[in-house]
Amino acid sequence: MAVGTATLADFLEGGVVAWATERQLELVGEALGKLRQAAPEIAERVPNVHKVIGMRNVLIHGYLVVNPRIVYRAATEQVPELIPVLETLLIELAPPGS
């Protein structure tokens, strides 16, 4: 995730780290939204899939109400919990021989 080792104080200053983190969260939310449309039973295996997609929608459409503290918390606390789940799904769903 783009937040790297930035502290909350650094993140709240905005700039490249904050923008990149928001973009990464947008991409994850978009991908999970597409997954939910194509294979809802698989998407439901992702913890808080609806919240991830909802955050994407706020980041894309509600930029005036984005709370950077919530974005930071999601990037530093919640995304790391999603990574093993998503990695497992990628392995399970990979075409044979890939």
Side-chain angles (χ1 to χ4, degrees):
M1 187 54 51
V3 73
T5 59
T7 65
L8 176 59
D10 294 334
F11 191 83
L12 292 176
E13 291 179 14
V16 176
V17 171
W19 300 331
T21 301
E22 288 179 8
R23 180 67 177 139
Q24 293 296 313
L25 291 172
E26 291 169 6
L27 293 172
V28 171
E30 181 69 19
L32 290 176
K34 298 288 185 193
L35 177 63
R36 187 172 65 180
Q37 290 174 349
E41 68 285 352
I42 296 171
E44 288 303 319
R45 293 175 55 193
V46 178
N48 299 309
V49 69
H50 303 294
K51 288 183 179 182
V52 177
I53 295 167
M55 177 172 273
R56 176 259 179 215
N57 293 337
V58 169
L59 291 169
I60 295 290
H61 302 292
Y63 61 92
L64 293 176
V65 296
V66 172
N67 183 328
R69 292 175 188 278
I70 293 172
V71 174
Y72 182 84
R73 189 171 65 241
T76 59
E77 296 174 17
Q78 296 162 338
V79 168
E81 295 173 3
L82 287 178
I83 292 172
V85 174
L86 297 175
E87 288 175 338
T88 298
L89 286 175
L90 287 173
I91 292 167
E92 288 178 17
L93 301 172
S98 61

